[in-house]
Amino acid sequence: MAKKTITIGGKGSSLTSSSVYSIANGLSQVNIDSSILEKLSSSKSSLSKKTLTVSNPRFLTNIEARASLVVLLNKLIITQHGIRSALPILITDALNGGPFALESLDFGSVLGFLDTLCKVNGKRFDDVGVTDGEIIVLEESCYALDGICALLDCCSSSLSTVADAVASLSCEASSADVSALVNSLDSGDGFSVKDEVAVASDFKVLLTGSKLVGKNGSKAVSEIPEVHGSFRESVKQVHSTTRVKLNSSVRIGKDGSLSNVRGGKQLVKTVSSLAASLVHLGESSLCRAQLVARCQEVDIHSEVLEMSGTLKNGINLSSEVNYISLFHEINRLVATVRKILAWEGALAILSLDSMESKENAQEVQVVSSNVETKKGNTNADKKSQKKKKVVLGKGTAVIKQLLKGRLNGEGGDTIENLAVLNEWVRDLCLFFEPKDQELDTFLKKVKEMVESNESRRLPKLPKGTRDFAKEQMAIRGKAFKIIEEVFKRHGAMALDTPAFELRETLMGKYGEDSKLVYDLADQGGELCSLRYDLTVPFARYVAMNGITSFKRYQIAKVYRRDNPSKGRYREFYQCDFDIAGQYETMGPDFEVVKVLTELLDELNIGDYEIKLNHRKLLDGMLEICGVPPEKFRTICSSIDKLDKQSFETIKKEMVEEKGLTAEVADKIGTLVKKRGPPLELLSELKKDSQFLENNGSSLALKDLEILFEALEKSKCIHRVVFDSSLARGLDYYTGVIFEAVFKGTTQAFPQVGSIAAGGRYDNLIGMFGTKQVPAVGASLGIERVFNIMEQQLENDANQSIRATETEVLVSIFGEDLGQAAELASELWGAKIKTEYLVNKRVAKHMDRAKESRIPLMVIVGDQERRANQVRIKDMQANTEELVDRDSVVEEVRRRLNLMSL
């Protein structure tokens, strides 16, 4: 069969590990893209005048040497600067020439390599020469490491699927209890390891329908998700790193300097992780092989000792070890694990064949017994036969058949010597190598089996997100309508901003909560993050457009990389109301708090309170207690947790983690425990001289006096509680801060907690490099409000909400779609909310109207059609009336107007 050709270079081309493996194993020839070759041939790079020396000769195996040459060829082609065509052509000739034994290449030095490469091609180094650019690529590109790593990548990738397939057979061959294995699925608590879950899910598919599993407990089986999952993760890391390394150039400046030389340390770290997971994979496979061997009474003691010894020796990861030697040893480790998997597979097939052989013998015995006794106790025999029947899983049955097709000789029900078994192991060892073209077919079959079951698996939502059904969406629509009306009543204008911002826009604005910002992958050279809230994007918009006065509202989703819990989501809506600009003292602050009370009152969710404090008062307290100014923000973050944790816990955090003394922490505890009616607590604080003598707290008390008077005049101060422990950990707050708390409970969320919050942020807009524009705003966390509203509907039997606002159902008894289209279009044209149904069964129409609680039905049957009339049915009054066809719209509108009165 003719070898395929792999072209290196050219527009959009990239080198893959599978291509390196194919060329290294002589399965493919290599070719340089003609346009690249022409460009290199026209290079006028002069030969180097450097003196090269030979030192520390190093020789690789034939396959490793060829893989290194492929990578070097690609490095030279993508680097181009200072590269001629001579060296790439020499490498191509060496790879494509035959015989292709290249163990004589010396990879220990530049001169050693070039000299031996020339000799392989029948040339002299002095005739070929080398440029400075070529020397840099040879010295700095780590092409030998990258080449061997490409082999590791290709081999380990296929080994991952092979290990799963073989282990699934062992589970059946040893009658293992796989309940712990297949139940290692996602717990939904955010702590599951993705690859472990994937392994468990795949095994569940492969073993579906098996009658052989579920008896014998074994650690070698229960640990499969952890061991195989860890190996999968290591394989993916190696693949990702190798892909980058294979296609990274050595950038040489015009002055010959290097601009991005990458050493092999990152690659070594990644491959070392692979080595560790390979050892664990091999040990786990060896344990299962021994388990199956004991079941079949097959003695593999000497083979186990040999393979176990190789695994126990492991890999020497000391700093003195040469990187190439390390990679070479890991390559050998891959071969050892491949052999162990071959033993496990061969023994598993032997065991399963033995079971089937015994079953066949029992069937013959039952048939003979029936012939002798004629009918006898045939039914009982058949029941016994059915119980003992060997039934493999749907996936393992196919795997066994595919592997058995590669084996020479028959195992039968026992093997007196190891000759046949050893032959099976050799067959599987060869089959499990990527250069076996049938392995690719096998891997695809296993992958198809696993993925074909995806349709049967229930899809999942990402943690911290929710779907909303039609009834829930109706509640949301109602709530959003109320909220928007309140915002518009106060003169706010709508604004929308992108779901993601430049990362630099969001960073440095949220204090310790910055760790919760969702970063996105780099696209087009911009580092972006999903918006954490709507306030910072609003500030960015105001600054970017030079706005000095703006009252705005926005209802949109925000995102937080938080640990999801009841009532706490990663994606959720916020409803923001903000006022930016210069106004009378505390005017905007009053209006924002007033808007918040109107929202919560009109949403009718039940009892709530608005905790309120002033950031300057809090900073004054901290200053009075002796907290250094640079620690104000971090201590505020601790104080803000007092509604959820005891002061002793907070004190421990402030002392042990944030460096305060116990005395200072106790002083803070005394001051932040003050809580009560706004005017009463304000009066108490104004009598304390230490607050009046502190500039920040004195100014805060004056602000609060103006604010509380305005709230009292507007008759909403009864909703406000002055709470000196309220801190609001976000860095950008500078003045009044507040938080609305639901005081009731719901069945789903016994403690709902905060449902809205906000405050003054006078310096945030100026952080974007423009002049300072003072601002204050509030944000309603609508998700928790929705939870409360949904619970109220569930508890109130008299309340219900319609998923649609449909007013009329056009019911055509029969199959005349045209009649439905005509009638419905007339009603739609009159702006009447209408649906239609075409069906012969009257019950279908009635059920549809009742389920959707549609008030009116316009019915057209054969009788109505002949009389050019329609029947209008009032579903609530359960009355009907015939009207002329031409009067339908007028009559429907009249009835709907009456219903709305």
Side-chain angles (χ1 to χ4, degrees):
M1 186 174 66
K3 295 180 182 179
K4 68 175 183 178
T5 299
I6 294 174
T7 300
I8 306 290
K11 188 176 181 180
S13 69
S14 61
L15 187 62
T16 65
S17 294
S18 58
S19 295
V20 173
Y21 184 91
S22 182
I23 298 169
N25 282 275
L27 304 176
S28 302
Q29 286 192 319
V30 66
N31 177 56
I32 303 175
D33 180 78
S34 57
S35 62
I36 296 295
L37 194 57
E38 184 179 348
K39 188 174 182 180
L40 294 179
S41 298
S42 62
S43 173
K44 297 181 181 179
S45 301
S46 57
L47 296 179
S48 176
K49 296 179 181 179
K50 291 181 181 178
T51 302
L52 301 177
T53 59
V54 178
S55 60
N56 300 321
R58 176 164 298 281
F59 301 95
L60 306 179
T61 66
N62 176 47
I63 293 175
E64 290 171 346
R66 291 176 59 80
S68 302
L69 284 183
V70 178
V71 176
L72 175 58
L73 175 61
N74 194 55
K75 296 284 184 186
L76 291 167
I77 287 174
I78 60 179
T79 300
Q80 292 189 13
H81 182 76
I83 310 298
R84 306 162 300 151
S85 62
L87 188 52
I89 291 174
L90 275 178
I91 294 173
T92 304
D93 290 344
L95 289 168
N96 291 339
F100 50 83
L102 300 176
E103 295 97 333
S104 60
L105 292 180
D106 177 8
F107 290 88
S109 64
V110 173
L111 181 58
F113 172 76
L114 291 171
D115 187 49
T116 51
L117 179 63
C118 289
K119 288 178 180 177
V120 165
N121 287 278
K123 297 181 182 295
R124 293 173 63 249
F125 170 63
D126 291 340
D127 296 333
V128 177
V130 65
T131 68
D132 288 336
E134 291 164 353
I135 290 174
I136 290 175
V137 173
L138 287 165
E139 288 181 336
E140 307 293 346
S141 65
C142 301
Y143 63 92
L145 287 182
D146 297 345
I148 302 173
C149 196
L151 299 177
L152 282 172
D153 178 24
C154 190
C155 292
S156 58
S157 295
S158 61
L159 212 57
S160 179
T161 303
V162 167
D164 292 345
V166 168
S168 65
L169 288 181
S170 290
C171 291
E172 294 187 311
S174 59
S175 300
D177 180 1
V178 298
S179 57
L181 189 165
V182 299
N183 290 329
S184 299
L185 301 177
D186 195 342
S187 61
D189 58 5
F191 296 103
S192 301
V193 179
K194 181 180 178 181
D195 289 302
E196 289 185 22
V197 172
V199 169
S201 183
D202 290 350
F203 270 76
K204 189 172 184 178
V205 174
L206 296 175
L207 294 169
T208 295
S210 174
K211 301 294 184 184
L212 302 178
V213 295
K215 298 177 184 177
N216 303 324
S218 169
K219 182 184 177 183
V221 171
S222 61
E223 71 180 8
I224 286 175
E226 180 183 356
V227 173
H228 289 222
S230 176
F231 184 65
R232 282 191 188 188
E233 183 181 5
S234 297
V235 167
K236 285 189 283 189
Q237 287 175 348
V238 169
H239 179 71
S240 178
T241 305
T242 305
R243 183 176 57 181
V244 174
K245 295 288 286 180
L246 290 180
N247 295 286
S248 60
S249 64
V250 179
R251 295 181 186 169
I252 305 171
K254 292 183 179 179
D255 59 352
S257 61
L258 301 179
S259 58
N260 73 330
V261 173
R262 300 185 181 187
K265 291 185 178 179
Q266 179 191 4
L267 202 56
V268 171
K269 182 179 178 182
T270 304
V271 174
S272 297
S273 174
L274 175 68
S277 62
L278 269 168
V279 171
H280 295 149
L281 184 71
E283 289 173 342
S284 181
S285 176
L286 197 56
C287 287
R288 290 190 297 274
Q290 290 176 280
L291 185 65
V292 177
R294 284 195 294 270
C295 293
Q296 291 300 306
E297 298 181 352
V298 176
D299 183 11
I300 59 168
H301 181 68
S302 60
E303 287 78 7
V304 168
L305 283 178
E306 178 189 344
M307 294 182 290
S308 181
T310 304
L311 291 177
K312 285 180 180 177
N313 290 335
I315 301 296
N316 185 358
L317 299 178
S318 67
S319 57
E320 291 82 14
V321 174
N322 181 279
Y323 287 168
I324 290 181
S325 297
L326 172 65
F327 280 40
H328 181 73
E329 288 303 312
I330 298 176
N331 238 340
R332 291 178 59 185
L333 182 59
V334 169
T336 299
V337 174
R338 186 185 296 126
K339 184 178 180 181
I340 293 172
L341 289 172
W343 271 101
E344 182 186 359
L347 285 163
I349 293 170
L350 167 67
S351 178
L352 294 172
D353 276 357
S354 178
M355 293 180 193
E356 291 173 354
S357 179
K358 289 177 182 177
E359 180 190 75
N360 292 336
Q362 288 173 350
E363 288 178 355
V364 171
Q365 188 178 358
V366 169
V367 171
S368 300
S369 176
N370 288 342
V371 170
E372 291 176 6
T373 60
K374 293 188 177 179
K375 291 186 178 180
N377 196 17
T378 305
N379 291 336
D381 289 335
K382 285 184 177 178
K383 283 184 180 180
S384 175
Q385 176 187 342
K386 188 173 182 181
K387 286 180 182 178
K388 295 177 181 178
K389 190 166 183 65
V390 176
V391 179
L392 277 68
K394 292 181 179 178
T396 49
V398 176
I399 290 170
K400 178 177 178 287
Q401 182 183 5
L402 291 171
L403 294 182
K404 190 74 185 291
R406 282 299 302 259
L407 303 180
N408 296 314
E410 290 295 329
D413 59 349
T414 184
I415 294 183
E416 298 297 337
N417 57 64
L418 294 177
V420 175
L421 189 58
N422 273 295
E423 190 174 350
W424 282 11
V425 171
R426 283 194 298 271
D427 291 341
L428 291 181
C429 265
L430 292 173
F431 179 50
F432 292 161
E433 286 194 61
K435 63 184 177 184
D436 191 312
Q437 295 180 2
E438 292 183 15
L439 177 63
D440 190 50
T441 303
F442 173 76
L443 299 177
K444 286 180 180 177
K445 285 277 187 183
V446 175
K447 185 178 179 182
E448 285 172 6
M449 283 189 291
V450 172
E451 292 182 349
S452 67
N453 202 61
E454 289 289 342
S455 59
R456 298 180 217 169
R457 300 184 197 177
L458 286 175
K460 291 176 55 181
L461 277 171
K463 295 180 182 66
T465 62
R466 294 193 295 168
D467 287 326
F468 297 94
K470 54 186 180 181
E471 292 82 5
Q472 292 171 307
M473 287 304 296
I475 294 172
R476 285 177 164 247
K478 177 183 175 183
F480 283 144
K481 187 175 181 180
I482 291 171
I483 293 165
E484 199 165 9
E485 283 298 319
V486 172
F487 288 160
K488 289 180 177 179
R489 185 188 308 155
H490 285 261
M493 294 172 282
L495 175 69
D496 191 23
T497 56
F500 54 90
E501 297 274 350
L502 290 176
R503 191 170 187 275
E504 63 191 42
T505 298
L506 303 181
M507 288 300 101
K509 314 297 191 304
Y510 304 111
E512 294 181 6
D513 278 0
S514 291
K515 63 187 178 183
L516 302 182
V517 173
Y518 257 119
D519 290 335
L520 301 177
D522 181 7
Q523 296 288 345
E526 289 188 337
L527 294 176
C528 297
S529 302
L530 292 175
R531 60 188 174 205
Y532 175 90
D533 64 6
L534 300 178
T535 307
V536 171
F538 167 64
R540 188 265 309 151
Y541 175 83
V542 171
M544 192 175 78
N545 291 279
I547 297 171
T548 57
S549 179
F550 190 18
K551 185 186 289 187
R552 85 86 163 87
Y553 76 88
Q554 184 173 358
I555 300 174
K557 288 182 177 180
V558 297
Y559 303 86
R560 298 189 182 174
R561 194 168 55 86
D562 207 347
N563 287 324
S565 58
K566 286 186 176 180
R568 196 174 187 90
Y569 305 101
R570 288 177 171 173
E571 177 193 64
F572 54 94
Y573 270 100
Q574 281 190 343
C575 305
D576 275 27
F577 175 87
D578 292 83
I579 303 174
Q582 296 286 351
Y583 294 88
E584 67 281 352
T585 302
M586 302 308 292
D589 308 71
F590 152 71
E591 187 170 8
V592 168
V593 175
K594 176 62 176 173
V595 164
L596 194 52
T597 63
E598 289 179 12
L599 284 177
L600 297 177
D601 287 342
E602 294 185 31
L603 287 170
N604 197 28
I605 60 172
D607 197 14
Y608 68 91
E609 67 179 17
I610 298 176
K611 298 190 295 183
L612 189 145
N613 199 3
H614 199 295
R615 201 61 176 265
K616 289 179 181 177
L617 177 63
L618 189 60
D619 287 351
M621 288 182 177
L622 297 180
E623 188 177 343
I624 290 166
C625 293
V627 178
E630 65 272 12
K631 290 189 177 182
F632 281 5
R633 294 289 75 85
T634 186
I635 297 302
C636 281
S637 295
S638 297
I639 294 172
D640 200 40
K641 301 173 187 175
L642 278 170
D643 60 336
K644 304 179 185 70
Q645 300 176 11
S646 68
F647 178 73
E648 288 306 314
T649 303
I650 300 303
K651 177 182 175 182
K652 185 177 180 181
E653 179 182 302
M654 290 191 292
V655 173
E656 295 182 4
E657 297 180 23
K658 300 188 176 180
L660 294 188
T661 64
E663 293 76 15
V664 170
D666 287 332
K667 287 181 183 179
I668 293 172
T670 303
L671 293 180
V672 299
K673 290 178 181 177
K674 296 181 181 295
R675 187 180 193 278
L679 293 173
E680 291 179 20
L681 188 55
L682 177 66
S683 177
E684 179 186 331
L685 292 174
K686 287 173 67 177
K687 294 176 183 177
D688 193 327
S689 60
Q690 59 184 343
F691 289 118
L692 297 176
E693 291 169 3
N694 181 277
N695 291 334
S697 59
S698 175
L699 180 61
L701 292 176
K702 292 178 182 177
D703 285 346
L704 291 174
E705 185 174 14
I706 298 171
L707 174 63
F708 292 158
E709 183 181 353
L711 291 173
E712 184 181 33
K713 295 288 185 181
S714 69
K715 296 182 172 51
C716 66
I717 199 169
H718 64 287
R719 292 294 194 185
V720 178
V721 175
F722 192 173
D723 188 339
S724 61
S725 70
L726 181 67
R728 300 296 298 153
L730 300 180
D731 276 5
Y732 53 64
Y733 287 125
T734 58
V736 168
I737 48 177
F738 46 84
E739 183 174 273
V741 178
F742 180 62
K743 297 177 72 174
T745 62
T746 68
Q747 184 177 347
F749 308 103
Q751 290 184 329
V752 176
S754 173
I755 52 177
R760 175 162 286 278
Y761 49 97
D762 285 347
N763 301 328
L764 180 60
I765 295 171
M767 291 176 70
F768 293 102
T770 60
K771 66 178 182 180
Q772 297 289 3
V773 179
V776 62
S779 178
L780 181 68
I782 195 67
E783 303 296 339
R784 294 184 178 183
V785 172
F786 289 149
N787 288 332
I788 298 167
M789 295 175 73
E790 289 166 12
Q791 190 66 52
Q792 287 174 338
L793 281 173
E794 289 179 17
N795 295 338
D796 191 344
N798 297 321
Q799 280 195 64
S800 59
I801 192 159
R802 291 178 59 194
T804 71
E805 297 181 6
T806 305
E807 298 168 310
V808 178
L809 176 65
V810 173
S811 294
I812 306 299
F813 295 166
E815 298 178 349
D816 192 349
L817 176 61
Q819 184 82 37
E822 183 181 32
L823 257 174
S825 294
E826 290 178 18
L827 293 166
W828 288 330
K831 307 297 187 254
I832 296 171
K833 297 166 184 173
T834 305
E835 293 183 59
Y836 65 85
L837 179 62
V838 180
N839 197 287
K840 293 179 180 179
R841 297 178 59 188
V842 175
K844 285 280 187 183
H845 296 268
M846 297 301 167
D847 289 345
R848 172 71 169 277
K850 289 176 182 177
E851 287 171 5
S852 299
R853 303 211 315 280
I854 300 173
L856 294 179
M857 291 179 69
V858 173
I859 302 169
V860 180
D862 291 339
Q863 184 178 344
E864 289 81 14
R865 194 178 292 109
R866 285 193 294 270
N868 197 29
Q869 292 179 315
V870 300
R871 189 181 304 276
I872 297 181
K873 181 177 179 65
D874 186 324
M875 295 300 294
Q876 188 172 2
N878 196 24
T879 58
E880 296 181 3
E881 183 180 346
L882 284 169
V883 301
D884 290 340
R885 170 66 181 79
D886 297 338
S887 306
V888 172
V889 173
E890 182 182 345
E891 181 62 24
V892 166
R893 186 182 282 125
R894 184 185 69 81
R895 288 171 178 264
L896 290 174
N897 288 337
L898 287 174
M899 287 179 179
S900 64
L901 294 177

